[in-house]
Every structure is written in C-alpha cells, then in structure tokens.
Amino acid sequence: MRRLRSSTVVLGGMGVLAATITACGAEPDRRCADPVTLEDLPGYRCESGGGGDDDDGGTTTRGAYYYGGYVRDQRVAGGSFDRKAVDTGGFGCSSSGSGGG
C-alpha cells in the first residue's frame, strides 16, 4: 500500500476547499432589462432608474436587473429578475428555486 505525503493531502484538500468556496460564492451574470417587454437595456437604465426623454413621446423605461440567462434578438431569456432563483451551480452548493421570468 502506497502512502501519500502529508503535503500532497493538504494541498489537494485546499484545492477542493477553494473550488467549493469560489463556486458557491459566484454571482450569476447580471444585465439590465425591461421587466415588461424583457428588452435588453443599457446598464445606466438600471443604475439611474431610467433614461431621459426617449423618441416615443417622452416616456422613460426603468430597467431591472435580470440574473442569469442569455440575450437573443435583443430580449433576455432563461434567467430571472429574482437573483435567488438563479442557480449558480458548483460543487457542494445547494440550490433552491428555479429559473424563469
């Protein structure tokens, strides 16, 4: 039977621990989107609470952060406006909730 050196065991254990911590603490991707139309918006619309006068009669669109998912045809999909509902995955992480709009 071959014995492992203690330094090998410690370094291996530290690697697993580091991977677990970084995977569980990872934040999902975040983008600004219109909560009604799901249109992908510039980030400042979420930061400042809306744009200035737009070309459509002066209305403004306030964006909300959309977590996870992807953008297709200028619309967000596959994620959620609720950050807790988005699974970041990873080794040793427990996930609760589900994706969706």
Side-chain angles (χ1 to χ4, degrees):
M1 177 185 244
R2 183 177 165 189
R3 298 185 69 177
L4 295 174
R5 294 184 189 195
S6 62
S7 61
T8 303
V9 173
V10 169
L11 289 176
M14 293 299 287
V16 170
L17 179 62
T20 301
I21 290 171
T22 57
C24 289
E27 290 289 320
D29 290 341
R30 176 177 85 166
R31 57 188 49 89
C32 188
D34 184 311
V36 177
T37 65
L38 299 179
E39 179 184 359
D40 187 35
L41 300 173
Y44 68 83
R45 293 217 176 157
C46 284
E47 298 294 330
S48 65
D53 288 339
D54 291 337
D55 294 335
D56 60 356
T59 60
T60 59
T61 303
R62 177 175 171 82
Y65 284 116
Y66 189 83
Y67 298 93
Y70 54 91
V71 178
R72 181 179 294 160
D73 298 326
Q74 302 299 317
R75 304 263 189 257
V76 294
S80 176
F81 285 103
D82 180 9
R83 184 178 65 151
K84 294 177 184 176
V86 178
D87 181 20
T88 57
F91 176 74
C93 299
S94 62
S95 62
S96 61
S98 60

Coordinates of all heavy atoms in Angstrom, one line a residue:
M1 N 0.8 -1.2 0.0 CA 0.0 0.0 0.0 C 0.9 1.2 0.0 O 1.8 1.3 0.8 CB -0.9 0.0 1.2 CG -1.8 1.2 1.3 SD -2.7 1.2 2.9 CE -4.3 1.1 2.2
R2 N 0.6 2.2 -0.9 CA 1.4 3.4 -1.0 C 0.8 4.5 -0.1 O -0.4 4.7 -0.1 CB 1.4 3.8 -2.5 CG 2.2 5.0 -2.7 CD 2.2 5.3 -4.2 NE 2.7 6.7 -4.4 CZ 2.7 7.4 -5.5 NH1 2.2 6.8 -6.5 NH2 3.2 8.6 -5.5
R3 N 1.6 5.2 0.5 CA 1.2 6.2 1.4 C 1.4 7.6 0.8 O 2.5 7.8 0.1 CB 1.9 6.2 2.7 CG 1.6 4.9 3.5 CD 2.3 4.9 4.8 NE 1.5 5.9 5.6 CZ 1.8 6.1 6.9 NH1 2.7 5.5 7.5 NH2 1.0 7.0 7.6
L4 N 0.5 8.5 0.9 CA 0.7 9.8 0.3 C 1.4 10.7 1.3 O 1.2 10.5 2.5 CB -0.7 10.4 0.0 CG -1.5 9.7 -1.1 CD1 -2.9 10.4 -1.2 CD2 -0.8 9.8 -2.4
R5 N 2.1 11.6 0.8 CA 2.8 12.6 1.7 C 1.8 13.5 2.3 O 0.8 13.8 1.6 CB 3.8 13.4 0.9 CG 5.0 12.6 0.4 CD 5.9 13.5 -0.3 NE 6.9 12.7 -1.0 CZ 8.1 13.2 -1.4 NH1 8.3 14.5 -1.2 NH2 8.9 12.4 -2.0
S6 N 2.0 14.0 3.5 CA 1.0 14.9 4.1 C 0.9 16.2 3.3 O -0.2 16.7 3.3 CB 1.4 15.1 5.5 OG 2.7 15.8 5.6
S7 N 1.9 16.6 2.7 CA 1.8 17.9 1.9 C 0.9 17.7 0.7 O 0.2 18.6 0.3 CB 3.2 18.4 1.5 OG 3.8 17.4 0.6
T8 N 0.9 16.5 0.1 CA 0.1 16.2 -1.0 C -1.4 16.2 -0.6 O -2.3 16.8 -1.3 CB 0.4 14.9 -1.7 OG1 1.8 14.9 -2.0 CG2 -0.4 14.6 -2.9
V9 N -1.7 15.6 0.5 CA -3.0 15.5 1.1 C -3.5 16.9 1.4 O -4.6 17.3 1.1 CB -3.1 14.6 2.3 CG1 -4.5 14.7 2.9 CG2 -2.7 13.2 1.9
V10 N -2.7 17.7 2.1 CA -3.1 19.1 2.5 C -3.3 20.0 1.2 O -4.4 20.7 1.1 CB -2.0 19.7 3.4 CG1 -2.3 21.2 3.6 CG2 -1.9 19.0 4.7
L11 N -2.4 19.9 0.2 CA -2.6 20.7 -1.0 C -3.9 20.3 -1.7 O -4.6 21.1 -2.3 CB -1.4 20.6 -1.8 CG -0.2 21.4 -1.3 CD1 1.0 21.1 -2.2 CD2 -0.4 22.8 -1.1
G12 N -4.1 19.0 -1.8 CA -5.3 18.5 -2.5 C -6.6 19.0 -1.8 O -7.5 19.4 -2.4
G13 N -6.6 18.9 -0.5 CA -7.7 19.3 0.3 C -8.0 20.8 0.2 O -9.1 21.3 0.1
M14 N -6.9 21.6 0.1 CA -7.0 23.0 0.0 C -7.6 23.4 -1.4 O -8.4 24.3 -1.5 CB -5.7 23.7 0.2 CG -5.2 23.6 1.6 SD -6.2 24.4 2.8 CE -5.9 26.1 2.4
G15 N -7.2 22.6 -2.4 CA -7.7 22.8 -3.8 C -9.2 22.6 -3.8 O -10.0 23.4 -4.4
V16 N -9.7 21.5 -3.2 CA -11.1 21.2 -3.2 C -11.9 22.3 -2.4 O -12.9 22.7 -2.8 CB -11.4 19.8 -2.6 CG1 -12.8 19.6 -2.3 CG2 -10.8 18.7 -3.5
L17 N -11.3 22.7 -1.3 CA -12.0 23.7 -0.5 C -12.1 25.0 -1.3 O -13.1 25.7 -1.3 CB -11.2 24.0 0.8 CG -11.7 25.0 1.7 CD1 -13.1 24.7 2.2 CD2 -10.8 25.2 2.9
A18 N -11.0 25.4 -2.0 CA -11.0 26.7 -2.7 C -12.0 26.6 -3.9 O -12.8 27.6 -4.1 CB -9.6 27.0 -3.3
A19 N -12.1 25.5 -4.5 CA -13.1 25.3 -5.6 C -14.5 25.4 -5.1 O -15.4 26.0 -5.7 CB -12.9 24.0 -6.3
T20 N -14.8 24.8 -3.9 CA -16.1 24.8 -3.3 C -16.5 26.3 -2.9 O -17.6 26.7 -3.2 CB -16.1 24.0 -2.1 OG1 -15.8 22.6 -2.4 CG2 -17.5 24.0 -1.4
I21 N -15.6 27.0 -2.3 CA -15.9 28.4 -1.9 C -16.1 29.3 -3.1 O -17.1 30.0 -3.1 CB -14.7 28.9 -1.0 CG1 -14.7 28.2 0.3 CG2 -14.9 30.4 -0.8 CD1 -13.5 28.5 1.2
T22 N -15.3 29.2 -4.1 CA -15.5 30.1 -5.3 C -16.7 29.7 -6.1 O -17.4 30.6 -6.6 CB -14.3 30.1 -6.2 OG1 -14.0 28.7 -6.6 CG2 -13.0 30.6 -5.5
A23 N -17.1 28.5 -6.2 CA -18.3 28.1 -6.9 C -19.5 28.5 -6.2 O -20.5 28.9 -6.8 CB -18.2 26.5 -7.2
C24 N -19.6 28.3 -4.9 CA -20.8 28.7 -4.2 C -21.0 30.2 -4.0 O -22.1 30.7 -3.9 CB -20.8 28.0 -2.8 SG -21.0 26.3 -2.8
G25 N -19.9 30.9 -4.0 CA -20.0 32.3 -3.9 C -20.1 33.1 -5.2 O -20.2 34.3 -5.2
A26 N -20.1 32.4 -6.3 CA -20.2 33.0 -7.6 C -21.5 33.7 -7.8 O -22.6 33.2 -7.5 CB -19.9 32.0 -8.7
E27 N -21.4 34.9 -8.3 CA -22.7 35.6 -8.7 C -23.1 35.3 -10.1 O -22.2 35.1 -11.0 CB -22.4 37.1 -8.6 CG -22.2 37.7 -7.2 CD -23.4 37.7 -6.4 OE1 -24.5 38.0 -6.9 OE2 -23.4 37.3 -5.2
P28 N -24.4 35.2 -10.3 CA -24.8 34.9 -11.7 C -24.6 36.2 -12.6 O -24.5 37.3 -12.0 CB -26.3 34.6 -11.5 CG -26.7 35.3 -10.3 CD -25.5 35.2 -9.4
D29 N -24.6 36.0 -13.9 CA -24.5 37.1 -14.8 C -25.7 38.1 -14.5 O -26.8 37.6 -14.2 CB -24.5 36.7 -16.2 CG -23.3 35.9 -16.6 OD1 -22.2 36.1 -15.9 OD2 -23.3 35.2 -17.6
R30 N -25.4 39.3 -14.6 CA -26.5 40.3 -14.4 C -26.5 41.3 -15.6 O -25.5 41.8 -16.0 CB -26.1 41.1 -13.1 CG -27.1 42.2 -12.7 CD -26.7 42.8 -11.4 NE -25.6 43.8 -11.6 CZ -25.3 44.7 -10.7 NH1 -25.9 44.7 -9.5 NH2 -24.4 45.6 -10.9
R31 N -27.7 41.6 -16.0 CA -27.9 42.6 -17.1 C -29.1 43.4 -16.8 O -30.0 42.9 -16.1 CB -27.9 41.9 -18.5 CG -29.0 40.8 -18.6 CD -28.9 40.0 -19.9 NE -27.6 39.5 -20.2 CZ -27.2 38.3 -19.8 NH1 -27.9 37.5 -19.0 NH2 -26.0 37.9 -20.2
C32 N -29.2 44.5 -17.5 CA -30.4 45.4 -17.3 C -31.4 45.0 -18.3 O -31.1 44.9 -19.5 CB -29.9 46.8 -17.4 SG -31.2 48.0 -17.0
A33 N -32.7 44.9 -17.9 CA -33.8 44.6 -18.8 C -35.1 45.2 -18.4 O -35.3 45.6 -17.3 CB -34.0 43.0 -18.9
D34 N -35.9 45.4 -19.4 CA -37.3 46.0 -19.2 C -38.1 44.8 -18.6 O -38.2 43.8 -19.2 CB -37.9 46.5 -20.5 CG -39.2 47.1 -20.3 OD1 -40.1 46.5 -19.6 OD2 -39.4 48.2 -20.8
P35 N -38.7 45.0 -17.4 CA -39.5 44.0 -16.7 C -40.7 43.6 -17.5 O -41.2 42.5 -17.3 CB -39.9 44.5 -15.4 CG -39.0 45.8 -15.2 CD -38.6 46.2 -16.5
V36 N -41.2 44.4 -18.4 CA -42.5 44.1 -19.1 C -42.2 43.5 -20.4 O -42.7 42.4 -20.7 CB -43.3 45.4 -19.3 CG1 -44.5 45.1 -20.1 CG2 -43.7 46.0 -18.0
T37 N -41.3 44.1 -21.2 CA -41.0 43.6 -22.6 C -39.8 42.6 -22.6 O -39.6 42.0 -23.7 CB -40.7 44.8 -23.5 OG1 -39.5 45.4 -23.1 CG2 -41.9 45.7 -23.6
L38 N -39.1 42.5 -21.6 CA -37.8 41.7 -21.5 C -36.8 42.2 -22.5 O -35.8 41.5 -22.8 CB -38.1 40.3 -21.7 CG -39.1 39.6 -20.7 CD1 -39.3 38.1 -21.0 CD2 -38.5 39.8 -19.3
E39 N -36.9 43.5 -22.9 CA -35.8 44.0 -23.8 C -34.6 44.3 -23.0 O -34.6 44.8 -21.9 CB -36.4 45.3 -24.4 CG -35.4 46.0 -25.3 CD -35.9 47.4 -25.8 OE1 -37.0 47.8 -25.4 OE2 -35.1 48.0 -26.5
D40 N -33.4 43.9 -23.6 CA -32.1 44.2 -23.1 C -31.8 45.7 -23.1 O -32.0 46.3 -24.2 CB -31.1 43.4 -23.8 CG -29.7 43.5 -23.2 OD1 -29.6 43.5 -22.0 OD2 -28.7 43.5 -24.0
L41 N -31.6 46.3 -22.0 CA -31.4 47.8 -21.9 C -29.9 48.1 -21.6 O -29.2 47.3 -21.0 CB -32.3 48.4 -20.8 CG -33.8 48.2 -21.0 CD1 -34.6 48.6 -19.8 CD2 -34.3 48.9 -22.3
P42 N -29.5 49.3 -21.8 CA -28.2 49.8 -21.4 C -28.2 49.8 -19.9 O -29.2 50.1 -19.2 CB -28.1 51.2 -22.0 CG -29.2 51.4 -22.9 CD -30.2 50.3 -22.6
G43 N -27.0 49.5 -19.3 CA -26.9 49.4 -17.8 C -27.3 50.7 -17.1 O -27.8 50.6 -16.0
Y44 N -27.1 51.9 -17.7 CA -27.5 53.1 -16.9 C -29.0 53.2 -16.6 O -29.4 53.9 -15.7 CB -27.0 54.3 -17.6 CG -27.7 54.6 -18.9 CD1 -28.9 55.3 -19.0 CD2 -27.2 54.2 -20.1 CE1 -29.6 55.6 -20.1 CE2 -27.8 54.5 -21.3 CZ -29.0 55.2 -21.3 OH -29.6 55.4 -22.5
R45 N -29.8 52.4 -17.3 CA -31.2 52.5 -17.1 C -31.6 51.8 -15.8 O -32.6 52.0 -15.2 CB -32.0 51.9 -18.2 CG -31.9 52.8 -19.5 CD -33.1 52.8 -20.2 NE -33.1 53.7 -21.4 CZ -33.8 53.6 -22.4 NH1 -34.7 52.6 -22.5 NH2 -33.7 54.5 -23.4
C46 N -30.7 50.9 -15.3 CA -30.9 50.2 -14.0 C -30.3 51.0 -12.9 O -30.8 51.1 -11.8 CB -30.4 48.8 -14.0 SG -31.4 47.6 -14.9
E47 N -29.1 51.6 -13.3 CA -28.4 52.4 -12.3 C -29.1 53.6 -11.9 O -29.2 54.0 -10.7 CB -27.0 52.7 -12.8 CG -26.1 51.5 -13.1 CD -25.7 50.7 -11.9 OE1 -25.6 51.3 -10.8 OE2 -25.6 49.5 -12.0
S48 N -29.6 54.4 -12.8 CA -30.2 55.7 -12.6 C -31.7 55.7 -12.5 O -32.3 56.7 -12.2 CB -29.7 56.7 -13.6 OG -30.3 56.3 -14.9
G49 N -32.3 54.5 -12.8 CA -33.7 54.5 -12.7 C -34.5 54.9 -13.9 O -35.6 55.2 -13.9
G50 N -33.8 55.0 -15.0 CA -34.5 55.3 -16.3 C -33.7 56.2 -17.1 O -32.7 56.9 -16.6
G51 N -34.0 56.3 -18.4 CA -33.3 57.2 -19.3 C -34.0 58.6 -19.3 O -35.0 58.8 -18.6
G52 N -33.5 59.4 -20.1 CA -34.0 60.7 -20.3 C -35.2 60.6 -21.3 O -35.8 59.6 -21.4
D53 N -35.6 61.7 -21.9 CA -36.7 61.7 -22.9 C -36.3 60.8 -24.0 O -35.3 61.0 -24.7 CB -37.0 63.1 -23.4 CG -37.6 64.0 -22.3 OD1 -38.2 63.4 -21.4 OD2 -37.6 65.2 -22.4
D54 N -37.1 59.9 -24.3 CA -36.9 59.0 -25.5 C -37.7 59.5 -26.7 O -38.5 60.5 -26.5 CB -37.4 57.6 -25.1 CG -36.5 56.9 -24.1 OD1 -35.4 57.3 -24.0 OD2 -37.0 55.9 -23.5
D55 N -37.6 58.9 -27.8 CA -38.2 59.3 -29.0 C -39.7 59.0 -29.0 O -40.4 59.5 -29.9 CB -37.6 58.7 -30.2 CG -36.2 59.2 -30.4 OD1 -35.8 60.3 -30.0 OD2 -35.4 58.4 -31.0
D56 N -40.2 58.3 -28.1 CA -41.6 57.8 -28.1 C -42.5 58.7 -27.2 O -43.4 58.2 -26.5 CB -41.8 56.4 -27.7 CG -41.2 56.1 -26.3 OD1 -40.7 57.0 -25.7 OD2 -41.4 54.9 -25.9
G57 N -42.3 60.0 -27.3 CA -43.2 60.9 -26.6 C -42.8 61.2 -25.2 O -43.6 61.7 -24.4
G58 N -41.5 61.0 -24.8 CA -41.0 61.4 -23.6 C -41.2 60.4 -22.5 O -40.9 60.7 -21.3
T59 N -41.6 59.2 -22.8 CA -41.7 58.2 -21.7 C -40.3 57.6 -21.4 O -39.4 57.6 -22.2 CB -42.6 57.0 -22.1 OG1 -42.1 56.4 -23.3 CG2 -44.0 57.5 -22.4
T60 N -40.1 57.2 -20.2 CA -38.9 56.5 -19.8 C -39.1 55.1 -19.4 O -40.2 54.7 -19.0 CB -38.2 57.3 -18.6 OG1 -39.1 57.3 -17.5 CG2 -37.9 58.7 -19.0
T61 N -38.1 54.3 -19.6 CA -38.2 52.9 -19.3 C -37.2 52.6 -18.1 O -36.0 52.8 -18.3 CB -37.8 52.0 -20.5 OG1 -38.7 52.3 -21.6 CG2 -37.9 50.5 -20.1
R62 N -37.8 52.2 -17.0 CA -36.9 51.9 -15.9 C -36.6 50.4 -16.0 O -37.4 49.5 -16.1 CB -37.6 52.1 -14.6 CG -36.7 51.7 -13.4 CD -37.3 52.1 -12.1 NE -36.6 51.5 -11.0 CZ -35.5 52.0 -10.4 NH1 -35.0 53.1 -10.9 NH2 -35.0 51.4 -9.4
G63 N -35.3 50.1 -16.0 CA -34.9 48.7 -16.1 C -34.7 48.1 -14.7 O -34.7 48.8 -13.7
A64 N -34.7 46.8 -14.7 CA -34.4 46.0 -13.5 C -33.4 45.0 -13.9 O -33.2 44.6 -15.0 CB -35.7 45.3 -13.1
Y65 N -32.6 44.6 -12.9 CA -31.6 43.6 -13.1 C -32.1 42.2 -13.3 O -33.0 41.7 -12.6 CB -30.6 43.6 -12.0 CG -29.6 44.8 -12.0 CD1 -29.7 45.7 -11.0 CD2 -28.8 45.0 -13.1 CE1 -28.8 46.8 -11.0 CE2 -28.0 46.1 -13.1 CZ -28.0 47.0 -12.1 OH -27.2 48.1 -12.1
Y66 N -31.6 41.6 -14.4 CA -32.1 40.2 -14.8 C -30.8 39.4 -14.6 O -29.8 39.7 -15.1 CB -32.5 40.3 -16.3 CG -33.1 39.0 -16.8 CD1 -34.5 38.7 -16.5 CD2 -32.4 38.1 -17.5 CE1 -35.1 37.6 -17.0 CE2 -33.0 36.9 -17.9 CZ -34.3 36.7 -17.7 OH -34.9 35.5 -18.1
Y67 N -31.0 38.3 -13.9 CA -29.9 37.4 -13.5 C -29.9 36.1 -14.3 O -30.9 35.5 -14.5 CB -29.9 37.1 -12.0 CG -29.8 38.4 -11.2 CD1 -31.0 39.0 -10.7 CD2 -28.6 38.9 -10.8 CE1 -30.9 40.2 -10.0 CE2 -28.5 40.0 -10.1 CZ -29.6 40.7 -9.6 OH -29.5 41.8 -8.9
G68 N -28.7 35.7 -14.7 CA -28.5 34.5 -15.5 C -29.1 34.7 -16.9 O -29.3 35.7 -17.4
G69 N -29.3 33.5 -17.5 CA -29.9 33.6 -18.8 C -29.0 34.1 -19.9 O -27.8 34.0 -19.8
Y70 N -29.6 34.5 -21.0 CA -28.9 35.0 -22.2 C -29.7 36.0 -22.9 O -30.9 36.3 -22.5 CB -28.6 33.8 -23.1 CG -29.9 33.0 -23.4 CD1 -30.6 33.3 -24.6 CD2 -30.3 32.0 -22.6 CE1 -31.8 32.6 -24.9 CE2 -31.5 31.3 -22.9 CZ -32.2 31.6 -24.1 OH -33.3 30.9 -24.4
V71 N -29.1 36.6 -23.9 CA -29.8 37.6 -24.7 C -29.9 37.1 -26.1 O -28.9 36.6 -26.7 CB -29.1 39.0 -24.8 CG1 -29.8 40.0 -25.7 CG2 -28.9 39.6 -23.4
R72 N -31.1 37.1 -26.7 CA -31.4 36.6 -28.0 C -32.4 37.6 -28.7 O -33.4 37.9 -28.1 CB -31.9 35.2 -28.1 CG -32.2 34.8 -29.5 CD -32.7 33.4 -29.6 NE -31.7 32.4 -29.1 CZ -32.0 31.2 -28.7 NH1 -33.2 30.8 -28.6 NH2 -31.0 30.4 -28.2
D73 N -32.0 38.1 -29.8 CA -32.9 39.1 -30.5 C -33.2 40.3 -29.6 O -34.4 40.7 -29.6 CB -34.1 38.4 -31.1 CG -33.8 37.4 -32.1 OD1 -32.9 37.5 -32.8 OD2 -34.6 36.4 -32.1
Q74 N -32.2 40.8 -28.9 CA -32.4 42.0 -28.0 C -33.3 41.7 -26.9 O -33.8 42.7 -26.2 CB -32.8 43.2 -28.8 CG -31.9 43.6 -29.9 CD -30.5 43.9 -29.4 OE1 -30.4 44.6 -28.4 NE2 -29.5 43.4 -30.1
R75 N -33.6 40.5 -26.5 CA -34.5 40.1 -25.4 C -33.8 39.2 -24.5 O -33.0 38.3 -24.9 CB -35.8 39.5 -25.9 CG -36.6 40.3 -26.9 CD -37.7 41.0 -26.2 NE -38.6 41.6 -27.1 CZ -38.6 42.9 -27.4 NH1 -37.7 43.7 -26.9 NH2 -39.5 43.4 -28.3
V76 N -34.0 39.3 -23.2 CA -33.4 38.4 -22.2 C -34.3 37.1 -22.1 O -35.5 37.2 -22.2 CB -33.2 39.1 -20.9 CG1 -32.1 40.1 -21.0 CG2 -34.5 39.6 -20.3
A77 N -33.7 36.0 -21.8 CA -34.4 34.8 -21.6 C -33.6 33.8 -20.8 O -32.4 33.9 -20.7 CB -34.8 34.1 -22.9
G78 N -34.3 32.8 -20.1 CA -33.5 31.8 -19.5 C -33.0 32.1 -18.1 O -32.3 31.3 -17.5
G79 N -33.4 33.2 -17.5 CA -33.0 33.6 -16.2 C -34.2 34.1 -15.4 O -35.3 33.7 -15.6
S80 N -33.9 35.1 -14.5 CA -34.9 35.5 -13.6 C -34.6 36.9 -13.1 O -33.4 37.3 -12.9 CB -35.1 34.6 -12.4 OG -36.1 35.1 -11.5
F81 N -35.6 37.7 -12.7 CA -35.4 39.0 -12.1 C -35.1 38.8 -10.6 O -34.6 39.7 -9.9 CB -36.6 39.9 -12.3 CG -36.7 40.5 -13.6 CD1 -37.6 40.0 -14.5 CD2 -35.9 41.5 -14.0 CE1 -37.7 40.5 -15.8 CE2 -36.0 42.1 -15.3 CZ -36.9 41.5 -16.2
D82 N -35.3 37.6 -10.1 CA -35.0 37.3 -8.7 C -33.7 36.6 -8.7 O -33.5 35.5 -9.1 CB -36.1 36.4 -8.1 CG -35.9 36.0 -6.7 OD1 -35.0 36.5 -6.0 OD2 -36.6 35.1 -6.2
R83 N -32.7 37.2 -8.1 CA -31.3 36.7 -8.1 C -31.3 35.3 -7.3 O -30.5 34.4 -7.7 CB -30.4 37.7 -7.4 CG -28.9 37.2 -7.4 CD -28.0 38.2 -6.8 NE -28.3 38.3 -5.4 CZ -27.4 38.6 -4.5 NH1 -26.2 38.9 -4.8 NH2 -27.8 38.7 -3.3
K84 N -32.1 35.2 -6.3 CA -32.1 33.9 -5.5 C -32.6 32.7 -6.3 O -32.4 31.6 -6.0 CB -32.8 34.1 -4.2 CG -32.2 35.1 -3.3 CD -33.1 35.3 -2.1 CE -32.5 36.4 -1.2 NZ -33.3 36.7 0.0
A85 N -33.4 33.0 -7.3 CA -34.0 32.0 -8.1 C -33.0 31.4 -9.2 O -33.3 30.4 -9.8 CB -35.3 32.5 -8.8
V86 N -31.9 32.0 -9.4 CA -30.9 31.6 -10.4 C -29.9 30.7 -9.7 O -29.2 31.1 -8.8 CB -30.3 32.8 -11.1 CG1 -29.3 32.4 -12.1 CG2 -31.3 33.7 -11.7
D87 N -29.8 29.5 -10.3 CA -28.8 28.5 -9.8 C -27.4 28.9 -10.3 O -27.2 28.9 -11.5 CB -29.2 27.1 -10.2 CG -28.3 26.1 -9.7 OD1 -27.5 26.3 -8.7 OD2 -28.3 25.0 -10.3
T88 N -26.5 29.2 -9.4 CA -25.1 29.4 -9.8 C -24.3 28.1 -10.0 O -23.2 28.1 -10.5 CB -24.4 30.4 -8.9 OG1 -24.4 29.8 -7.6 CG2 -25.0 31.7 -8.9
G89 N -24.9 27.0 -9.5 CA -24.2 25.7 -9.6 C -23.0 25.6 -8.8 O -22.7 26.5 -7.9
G90 N -22.2 24.6 -9.0 CA -20.9 24.5 -8.3 C -20.9 23.3 -7.4 O -22.0 22.7 -7.0
F91 N -19.8 22.8 -7.1 CA -19.6 21.6 -6.3 C -20.0 21.9 -4.9 O -19.5 22.9 -4.3 CB -18.1 21.2 -6.4 CG -17.8 20.0 -5.5 CD1 -18.2 18.8 -5.8 CD2 -17.0 20.2 -4.3 CE1 -17.8 17.7 -5.0 CE2 -16.7 19.2 -3.5 CZ -17.1 17.9 -3.8
G92 N -20.8 21.1 -4.3 CA -21.2 21.3 -2.9 C -22.2 22.4 -2.6 O -22.4 22.7 -1.4
C93 N -22.8 22.9 -3.6 CA -23.8 24.0 -3.4 C -25.2 23.4 -3.4 O -25.5 22.6 -4.1 CB -23.7 25.1 -4.5 SG -22.1 25.9 -4.5
S94 N -26.0 24.0 -2.5 CA -27.4 23.6 -2.5 C -28.1 24.7 -3.3 O -27.9 25.9 -3.1 CB -27.9 23.4 -1.1 OG -27.9 24.6 -0.4
S95 N -29.0 24.3 -4.2 CA -29.8 25.3 -4.9 C -31.2 25.2 -4.6 O -31.8 24.1 -4.3 CB -29.6 25.0 -6.4 OG -30.1 23.7 -6.8
S96 N -31.8 26.3 -4.5 CA -33.3 26.3 -4.2 C -33.9 27.3 -5.2 O -33.3 28.3 -5.6 CB -33.5 26.8 -2.8 OG -33.0 28.1 -2.6
G97 N -35.1 27.0 -5.6 CA -35.8 27.8 -6.5 C -35.6 27.3 -7.9 O -34.9 26.3 -8.2
S98 N -36.1 28.1 -8.9 CA -36.0 27.7 -10.3 C -35.9 28.9 -11.1 O -36.2 30.0 -10.7 CB -37.2 26.8 -10.7 OG -38.4 27.6 -10.6
G99 N -35.4 28.7 -12.3 CA -35.3 29.8 -13.2 C -36.7 30.2 -13.8 O -37.7 29.6 -13.5
G100 N -36.7 31.2 -14.6 CA -37.9 31.6 -15.2 C -38.2 33.1 -15.0 O -37.5 33.7 -14.2
G101 N -39.1 33.6 -15.7 CA -39.4 35.0 -15.6 C -40.4 35.3 -14.5 O -40.6 36.1 -13.8

